[in-house]
Short mmCIF file of all heavy atoms in Angstrom, two decimals:
data_model
loop_
_atom_site.label_atom_id
_atom_site.label_comp_id
_atom_site.label_asym_id
_atom_site.label_seq_id
_atom_site.Cartn_x
_atom_site.Cartn_y
_atom_site.Cartn_z
N ALA A 1 55.65 108.66 -29.40
CA ALA A 1 57.09 108.64 -28.99
C ALA A 1 57.22 108.33 -27.58
O ALA A 1 56.71 109.02 -26.70
CB ALA A 1 57.69 109.93 -29.34
N GLY A 2 57.91 107.20 -27.23
CA GLY A 2 58.11 106.83 -25.91
C GLY A 2 56.92 106.17 -25.19
O GLY A 2 57.02 105.68 -24.07
N ALA A 3 55.82 106.09 -25.93
CA ALA A 3 54.64 105.42 -25.36
C ALA A 3 54.76 103.87 -25.27
O ALA A 3 55.44 103.35 -26.10
CB ALA A 3 53.37 105.82 -26.16
N ARG A 4 54.07 103.28 -24.35
CA ARG A 4 54.07 101.85 -24.24
C ARG A 4 52.78 101.39 -24.93
O ARG A 4 51.63 101.82 -24.55
CB ARG A 4 54.03 101.36 -22.80
CG ARG A 4 54.08 99.86 -22.62
CD ARG A 4 54.07 99.45 -21.13
NE ARG A 4 54.03 98.02 -20.99
CZ ARG A 4 55.11 97.20 -20.94
NH1 ARG A 4 56.31 97.80 -21.00
NH2 ARG A 4 55.04 95.97 -20.80
N VAL A 5 52.97 100.55 -26.00
CA VAL A 5 51.80 100.10 -26.81
C VAL A 5 51.66 98.62 -26.62
O VAL A 5 52.60 97.85 -26.78
CB VAL A 5 52.00 100.42 -28.30
CG1 VAL A 5 50.83 99.97 -29.08
CG2 VAL A 5 52.21 101.93 -28.48
N ALA A 6 50.47 98.19 -26.30
CA ALA A 6 50.11 96.73 -26.22
C ALA A 6 49.28 96.37 -27.40
O ALA A 6 48.16 96.93 -27.56
CB ALA A 6 49.41 96.45 -24.84
N ILE A 7 49.69 95.44 -28.19
CA ILE A 7 48.94 94.93 -29.26
C ILE A 7 48.42 93.54 -28.90
O ILE A 7 49.16 92.64 -28.37
CB ILE A 7 49.85 94.72 -30.55
CG1 ILE A 7 50.44 96.08 -30.98
CG2 ILE A 7 49.05 94.14 -31.72
CD1 ILE A 7 51.50 95.97 -32.00
N VAL A 8 47.10 93.35 -29.07
CA VAL A 8 46.47 92.07 -28.78
C VAL A 8 46.24 91.32 -30.06
O VAL A 8 45.42 91.70 -30.88
CB VAL A 8 45.14 92.24 -28.02
CG1 VAL A 8 44.60 90.89 -27.57
CG2 VAL A 8 45.34 93.14 -26.84
N GLY A 9 47.08 90.29 -30.28
CA GLY A 9 46.94 89.56 -31.54
C GLY A 9 48.31 89.63 -32.35
O GLY A 9 48.92 90.69 -32.36
N ARG A 10 48.67 88.49 -32.90
CA ARG A 10 49.92 88.44 -33.64
C ARG A 10 49.75 87.96 -35.11
O ARG A 10 50.67 87.37 -35.70
CB ARG A 10 50.88 87.49 -32.94
CG ARG A 10 50.25 86.05 -32.64
CD ARG A 10 51.19 85.23 -31.84
NE ARG A 10 50.50 83.99 -31.41
CZ ARG A 10 51.07 83.10 -30.58
NH1 ARG A 10 52.31 83.30 -30.09
NH2 ARG A 10 50.38 81.96 -30.21
N GLY A 11 48.59 88.25 -35.66
CA GLY A 11 48.33 87.90 -37.05
C GLY A 11 49.20 88.62 -38.06
O GLY A 11 49.69 89.70 -37.70
N ILE A 12 49.38 88.05 -39.16
CA ILE A 12 50.30 88.57 -40.20
C ILE A 12 49.72 89.92 -40.86
O ILE A 12 50.48 90.76 -41.34
CB ILE A 12 50.62 87.58 -41.31
CG1 ILE A 12 51.84 88.03 -42.15
CG2 ILE A 12 49.45 87.31 -42.20
CD1 ILE A 12 53.10 88.12 -41.39
N THR A 13 48.42 90.11 -40.85
CA THR A 13 47.89 91.31 -41.47
C THR A 13 47.86 92.49 -40.55
O THR A 13 47.84 93.62 -41.05
CB THR A 13 46.41 91.04 -41.91
OG1 THR A 13 45.62 90.64 -40.82
CG2 THR A 13 46.35 89.86 -42.98
N VAL A 14 47.91 92.30 -39.22
CA VAL A 14 47.85 93.42 -38.30
C VAL A 14 48.97 93.38 -37.25
O VAL A 14 49.89 94.12 -37.25
CB VAL A 14 46.48 93.53 -37.61
CG1 VAL A 14 46.41 94.77 -36.68
CG2 VAL A 14 45.32 93.65 -38.58
N GLY A 15 48.85 92.38 -36.35
CA GLY A 15 49.71 92.41 -35.13
C GLY A 15 51.20 92.39 -35.40
O GLY A 15 51.93 93.25 -34.89
N ARG A 16 51.66 91.45 -36.28
CA ARG A 16 53.13 91.36 -36.50
C ARG A 16 53.69 92.59 -37.17
O ARG A 16 54.63 93.17 -36.69
CB ARG A 16 53.42 90.10 -37.28
CG ARG A 16 53.13 88.80 -36.50
CD ARG A 16 53.69 87.58 -37.13
NE ARG A 16 53.31 86.37 -36.47
CZ ARG A 16 53.74 85.15 -36.85
NH1 ARG A 16 54.59 85.01 -37.84
NH2 ARG A 16 53.33 84.11 -36.18
N PRO A 17 53.16 92.98 -38.29
CA PRO A 17 53.74 94.18 -39.01
C PRO A 17 53.53 95.44 -38.15
O PRO A 17 54.39 96.35 -38.18
CB PRO A 17 53.01 94.27 -40.32
CG PRO A 17 51.81 93.48 -40.16
CD PRO A 17 52.06 92.36 -39.19
N LEU A 18 52.41 95.53 -37.43
CA LEU A 18 52.15 96.76 -36.63
C LEU A 18 53.25 96.96 -35.56
O LEU A 18 53.69 98.08 -35.30
CB LEU A 18 50.78 96.67 -36.03
CG LEU A 18 50.39 97.86 -35.15
CD1 LEU A 18 50.44 99.18 -35.93
CD2 LEU A 18 48.89 97.64 -34.66
N GLY A 19 53.65 95.86 -34.95
CA GLY A 19 54.70 95.98 -33.93
C GLY A 19 55.94 96.51 -34.48
O GLY A 19 56.67 97.34 -33.92
N LEU A 20 56.32 96.05 -35.72
CA LEU A 20 57.58 96.54 -36.34
C LEU A 20 57.40 98.03 -36.73
O LEU A 20 58.42 98.77 -36.56
CB LEU A 20 57.82 95.66 -37.64
CG LEU A 20 58.25 94.29 -37.45
CD1 LEU A 20 58.20 93.54 -38.74
CD2 LEU A 20 59.67 94.21 -36.90
N MET A 21 56.29 98.44 -37.24
CA MET A 21 56.02 99.77 -37.67
C MET A 21 56.13 100.77 -36.45
O MET A 21 56.63 101.88 -36.57
CB MET A 21 54.77 99.93 -38.38
CG MET A 21 54.77 99.17 -39.75
SD MET A 21 53.13 98.92 -40.50
CE MET A 21 52.67 100.63 -40.79
N LEU A 22 55.60 100.35 -35.30
CA LEU A 22 55.49 101.18 -34.14
C LEU A 22 56.92 101.41 -33.55
O LEU A 22 57.12 102.42 -32.76
CB LEU A 22 54.54 100.65 -33.15
CG LEU A 22 53.08 100.87 -33.44
CD1 LEU A 22 52.20 100.00 -32.52
CD2 LEU A 22 52.70 102.32 -33.25
N THR A 23 57.79 100.50 -33.81
CA THR A 23 59.17 100.60 -33.17
C THR A 23 60.13 101.35 -34.16
O THR A 23 61.31 101.52 -33.80
CB THR A 23 59.77 99.28 -32.84
OG1 THR A 23 59.74 98.40 -33.96
CG2 THR A 23 58.95 98.64 -31.66
N ARG A 24 59.65 101.78 -35.29
CA ARG A 24 60.54 102.58 -36.14
C ARG A 24 60.87 103.92 -35.49
O ARG A 24 60.10 104.36 -34.57
CB ARG A 24 59.80 102.86 -37.48
CG ARG A 24 59.50 101.64 -38.33
CD ARG A 24 58.81 102.03 -39.60
NE ARG A 24 57.51 102.70 -39.27
CZ ARG A 24 56.65 103.13 -40.22
NH1 ARG A 24 56.95 102.95 -41.49
NH2 ARG A 24 55.50 103.71 -39.82
N ARG A 25 61.88 104.56 -35.87
CA ARG A 25 62.27 105.84 -35.23
C ARG A 25 61.17 106.91 -35.44
O ARG A 25 61.04 107.82 -34.68
CB ARG A 25 63.60 106.34 -35.84
CG ARG A 25 64.80 105.48 -35.47
CD ARG A 25 66.10 106.11 -35.87
NE ARG A 25 67.26 105.22 -35.52
CZ ARG A 25 67.77 105.11 -34.36
NH1 ARG A 25 67.37 105.90 -33.37
NH2 ARG A 25 68.81 104.30 -34.10
N SER A 26 60.38 106.79 -36.54
CA SER A 26 59.38 107.83 -36.81
C SER A 26 58.26 107.64 -35.75
O SER A 26 57.49 108.69 -35.49
CB SER A 26 58.79 107.60 -38.21
OG SER A 26 58.39 106.26 -38.39
N GLU A 27 58.07 106.53 -35.08
CA GLU A 27 57.05 106.38 -34.04
C GLU A 27 57.71 106.24 -32.69
O GLU A 27 57.21 106.83 -31.71
CB GLU A 27 56.21 105.13 -34.31
CG GLU A 27 55.19 105.33 -35.42
CD GLU A 27 55.77 105.39 -36.81
OE1 GLU A 27 56.78 104.66 -37.10
OE2 GLU A 27 55.28 106.21 -37.63
N ASN A 28 58.77 105.53 -32.57
CA ASN A 28 59.52 105.43 -31.34
C ASN A 28 58.72 104.90 -30.16
O ASN A 28 58.96 105.32 -29.02
CB ASN A 28 60.19 106.72 -30.97
CG ASN A 28 61.64 106.80 -31.35
OD1 ASN A 28 62.26 105.77 -31.73
ND2 ASN A 28 62.24 107.93 -31.36
N ALA A 29 57.76 104.00 -30.39
CA ALA A 29 57.02 103.37 -29.27
C ALA A 29 57.71 102.18 -28.73
O ALA A 29 58.54 101.56 -29.44
CB ALA A 29 55.58 103.07 -29.69
N THR A 30 57.42 101.81 -27.54
CA THR A 30 57.78 100.55 -26.90
C THR A 30 56.64 99.58 -26.98
O THR A 30 55.61 99.89 -26.51
CB THR A 30 58.25 100.71 -25.47
OG1 THR A 30 59.37 101.65 -25.44
CG2 THR A 30 58.65 99.41 -24.85
N VAL A 31 56.84 98.45 -27.67
CA VAL A 31 55.70 97.58 -27.99
C VAL A 31 55.78 96.23 -27.28
O VAL A 31 56.89 95.61 -27.25
CB VAL A 31 55.65 97.33 -29.55
CG1 VAL A 31 54.54 96.39 -29.91
CG2 VAL A 31 55.50 98.69 -30.24
N VAL A 32 54.65 95.78 -26.76
CA VAL A 32 54.52 94.39 -26.33
C VAL A 32 53.38 93.77 -27.11
O VAL A 32 52.30 94.36 -27.31
CB VAL A 32 54.19 94.30 -24.81
CG1 VAL A 32 52.97 95.12 -24.42
CG2 VAL A 32 54.10 92.85 -24.38
N THR A 33 53.62 92.58 -27.70
CA THR A 33 52.62 91.93 -28.44
C THR A 33 52.03 90.81 -27.61
O THR A 33 52.74 89.87 -27.24
CB THR A 33 53.20 91.32 -29.75
OG1 THR A 33 53.80 92.39 -30.54
CG2 THR A 33 52.13 90.62 -30.52
N CYS A 34 50.79 90.84 -27.31
CA CYS A 34 50.08 89.86 -26.49
C CYS A 34 49.33 88.85 -27.43
O CYS A 34 48.90 89.18 -28.53
CB CYS A 34 49.05 90.52 -25.58
SG CYS A 34 49.78 91.77 -24.49
N HIS A 35 49.20 87.60 -26.95
CA HIS A 35 48.57 86.54 -27.72
C HIS A 35 48.14 85.48 -26.77
O HIS A 35 48.04 85.69 -25.50
CB HIS A 35 49.65 85.97 -28.71
CG HIS A 35 50.99 85.78 -28.15
ND1 HIS A 35 51.28 84.76 -27.30
CD2 HIS A 35 52.10 86.54 -28.22
CE1 HIS A 35 52.54 84.87 -26.92
NE2 HIS A 35 53.09 85.92 -27.45
N THR A 36 47.75 84.32 -27.33
CA THR A 36 47.17 83.24 -26.50
C THR A 36 48.12 82.73 -25.50
O THR A 36 47.73 82.08 -24.50
CB THR A 36 46.70 82.09 -27.41
OG1 THR A 36 47.75 81.61 -28.26
CG2 THR A 36 45.45 82.57 -28.25
N GLY A 37 49.40 82.95 -25.64
CA GLY A 37 50.40 82.47 -24.69
C GLY A 37 50.76 83.50 -23.63
O GLY A 37 51.52 83.21 -22.70
N THR A 38 50.13 84.66 -23.71
CA THR A 38 50.38 85.73 -22.70
C THR A 38 49.77 85.29 -21.35
O THR A 38 48.64 84.96 -21.30
CB THR A 38 49.80 87.08 -23.13
OG1 THR A 38 50.40 87.44 -24.39
CG2 THR A 38 50.11 88.15 -22.10
N LYS A 39 50.59 85.30 -20.28
CA LYS A 39 50.09 84.81 -18.95
C LYS A 39 49.10 85.70 -18.35
O LYS A 39 48.11 85.20 -17.71
CB LYS A 39 51.34 84.64 -18.08
CG LYS A 39 52.30 83.48 -18.50
CD LYS A 39 53.39 83.33 -17.47
CE LYS A 39 54.30 82.17 -17.87
NZ LYS A 39 55.43 81.98 -16.86
N ASP A 40 49.31 87.00 -18.34
CA ASP A 40 48.36 87.84 -17.70
C ASP A 40 48.10 89.05 -18.60
O ASP A 40 48.66 90.10 -18.51
CB ASP A 40 48.95 88.34 -16.39
CG ASP A 40 47.93 89.06 -15.50
OD1 ASP A 40 46.93 89.48 -16.00
OD2 ASP A 40 48.22 89.19 -14.25
N LEU A 41 47.04 88.83 -19.47
CA LEU A 41 46.72 89.90 -20.46
C LEU A 41 46.30 91.19 -19.80
O LEU A 41 46.74 92.30 -20.18
CB LEU A 41 45.63 89.39 -21.36
CG LEU A 41 45.06 90.36 -22.38
CD1 LEU A 41 46.17 90.70 -23.38
CD2 LEU A 41 43.86 89.82 -23.15
N ALA A 42 45.44 91.10 -18.75
CA ALA A 42 44.97 92.34 -18.08
C ALA A 42 46.13 93.15 -17.50
O ALA A 42 46.18 94.36 -17.70
CB ALA A 42 44.05 91.94 -16.98
N ALA A 43 47.20 92.49 -16.89
CA ALA A 43 48.29 93.20 -16.43
C ALA A 43 49.09 93.92 -17.51
O ALA A 43 49.53 95.04 -17.32
CB ALA A 43 49.20 92.23 -15.59
#
């Protein structure tokens, strides 16, 4: 709840649905999904 979560990967089996699930009210996380177009992954 309230945590910042970074997902590396936007595949349909993990990354995309996981981002949706983590932003539900039951989890209430703030999510950023990183992928090959992410400019500064480390940051």
Side-chain angles (χ1 to χ4, degrees):
R4 183 179 178 89
V5 180
I7 301 171
V8 185
R10 54 184 168 186
I12 194 64
T13 58
V14 182
R16 292 192 188 185
L18 180 55
L20 290 168
M21 292 166 66
L22 283 166
T23 54
R24 298 176 302 179
R25 292 188 183 277
S26 52
E27 283 72 37
N28 260 347
T30 298
V31 177
V32 57
T33 301
C34 303
H35 44 74
T36 53
T38 300
K39 290 183 178 180
D40 191 341
L41 177 63

